[in-house]
Amino acid sequence: TLMKGDLVISTAVTDPKELKRDDIITYWTVIDNERVLNTHRIVNVYDGGDYLIFETRGDNNTASDPLTVHEREIVSVYKFSFGG
């Protein structure tokens, strides 16, 4: 769906319970020991009791991301993009 360099238009997530499998989200994560924003697709949603945990994967990756995403780390959900 997205290519490196694409401009992604997204909207803020106010209720993580509305997110579902196959949604594309932007979230805070750690890559190479640096806190950065990342945009990947939700592949699973887990109930953590008082919060949700999201398993994500890039569309070009064969395996899920090594770190799951806590609902409070989610910034926005994808709406559309422009080719870079």
Side-chain angles (χ1 to χ4, degrees):
T1 301
L2 302 173
M3 301 298 291
K4 187 173 184 172
D6 283 357
L7 173 66
V8 174
I9 306 300
S10 58
T11 58
V13 172
T14 55
D15 185 0
K17 292 175 189 70
E18 293 180 4
L19 296 171
K20 60 192 177 311
R21 185 182 175 118
D22 288 327
D23 282 345
I24 298 171
I25 56 173
T26 298
Y27 56 93
W28 287 105
T29 190
V30 176
I31 299 175
D32 296 330
N33 295 320
E34 185 177 346
R35 185 169 156 86
V36 296
L37 288 170
N38 199 22
T39 301
H40 277 173
R41 187 178 303 275
I42 296 171
V43 293
N44 279 309
V45 180
Y46 303 103
D47 184 350
D50 294 336
Y51 54 88
L52 296 174
I53 297 291
F54 298 86
E55 180 182 346
T56 57
R57 180 183 311 149
D59 286 352
N60 290 324
N61 299 340
T62 58
S64 294
D65 297 326
L67 299 175
T68 55
V69 180
H70 189 286
E71 67 178 37
R72 72 172 176 255
E73 299 296 328
I74 297 171
V75 175
S76 60
V77 62
Y78 170 90
K79 292 302 174 189
F80 59 92
S81 63
F82 298 99

